[in-house]
Amino acid sequence: MKEGKMLPIMEHFYTLQGEGVHTGMASYFIRIGGCDVGCHWCDVKESWEAGKHPLTDIDTLVDQATEFSKNIILTGGEPLMWNLDYLTAALKAKGCTIHIETSGSHPLSGQIDWICLSPKKRLLPKDEVVAKANELKCIIFNHHDFKFAEEFAARVPEDCELFLQPEWSKREEIMPKIVDYILNNPKWKVSIQTHKYMNIP
Ligand code: SF4
């Protein structure tokens, strides 16, 4: 487990990326169990306890995933809680492009082509992840979240794509505020959880 040859995998599946820059792109998701961030609005609370998810042989998982797609999305939970060197080397050996969705709260590991950073107030991202983010996706739950988003927009690389995404349970109330905000601050784009509208995972 230390070397990352076995990891607690909650689920893995072939679907369309629902959010952010790569919305609509067919991708294979690998959801790794374990998260110590504790967002109260988290929509995958079942992922938090790593021990609840089967320790899975990574070579077998990589064979299964690459039968479907060379576009891989590592998500969680918080995937950076684990050493991703072995998993990403095995995926790279098969010619995959590797994306990660992370809060950035743990050190980077592995060979990652696209970092989607979604910073969380309860456990702030590490500087090294902020400095390498390709996409910044800030969840808007209340008005203060716009300020939090701007703090990170000032720290990510200049070519980082900037997204504001309504927290799902408050989307009807928050969306008009996001639209207004983006009209006044057009460096941002809106991200919508399109997979929830399409009823796909
Ligand atoms: S970081 Fe992600 S998985 Fe962890 S609690 Fe927050 S929303 Fe849930």
Side-chain angles (χ1 to χ4, degrees), residues 2-199:
K2 223 173 164 187
E3 291 171 53
K5 290 184 177 176
M6 305 278 285
L7 290 172
I9 301 299
M10 178 175 162
E11 55 182 352
H12 52 105
F13 48 91
Y14 184 47
T15 188
L16 307 187
Q17 166 62 290
E19 313 173 0
V21 173
H22 299 102
T23 295
M25 187 184 283
S27 309
Y28 201 87
F29 277 73
I30 298 176
R31 188 183 302 286
I32 310 178
C35 185
D36 57 359
V37 180
C39 309
H40 63 91
W41 43 257
C42 178
D43 58 0
V44 275
K45 289 194 167 104
E46 330 75 83
S47 72
W48 290 6
E49 267 188 64
K52 285 194 174 161
H53 306 292
L55 267 184
T56 303
D57 176 67
I58 291 306
D59 291 320
T60 309
L61 175 64
V62 167
D63 286 344
Q64 291 170 340
T66 51
E67 268 182 33
F68 289 89
S69 180
K70 294 282 167 76
N71 194 52
I72 306 291
I73 299 180
L74 305 180
T75 189
E78 174 41 70
L80 287 181
M81 284 178 72
W82 307 99
N83 178 354
L84 300 179
D85 292 347
Y86 189 87
L87 168 61
T88 56
L91 290 167
K92 277 285 160 201
K94 299 234 179 185
C96 294
T97 301
I98 304 170
H99 303 226
I100 194 166
E101 300 189 332
T102 178
S103 66
S105 55
H106 290 265
L108 272 175
S109 60
Q111 306 166 52
I112 311 284
D113 299 293
W114 188 267
I115 297 176
C116 176
L117 170 66
S118 186
K120 304 295 182 334
K121 289 175 184 167
R122 286 180 60 98
L123 200 56
L124 294 172
K126 302 222 168 281
D127 290 344
E128 61 167 326
V129 187
V130 177
K132 289 189 177 160
N134 302 99
E135 174 177 357
L136 175 67
K137 186 173 66 188
C138 295
I139 311 303
I140 304 297
F141 180 81
N142 59 35
H143 197 71
H144 180 265
D145 292 330
F146 290 108
K147 189 169 177 285
F148 186 70
E150 289 294 352
E151 285 168 23
F152 285 93
R155 290 174 54 198
V156 293
E158 216 171 301
D159 60 353
C160 183
E161 303 264 2
L162 306 179
F163 286 94
L164 299 175
Q165 178 173 297
E167 193 280 317
W168 181 253
S169 70
K170 295 193 77 177
R171 63 193 181 283
E172 286 184 16
E173 176 193 336
I174 291 286
M175 189 54 92
K177 293 179 181 152
I178 291 181
V179 171
D180 258 8
Y181 193 86
I182 295 176
L183 289 173
N184 288 306
N185 301 275
K187 68 183 181 207
W188 294 97
K189 294 178 194 159
V190 68
S191 170
I192 295 174
Q193 293 182 294
T194 61
H195 52 294
K196 294 189 177 174
Y197 291 99
M198 290 186 278
N199 289 318

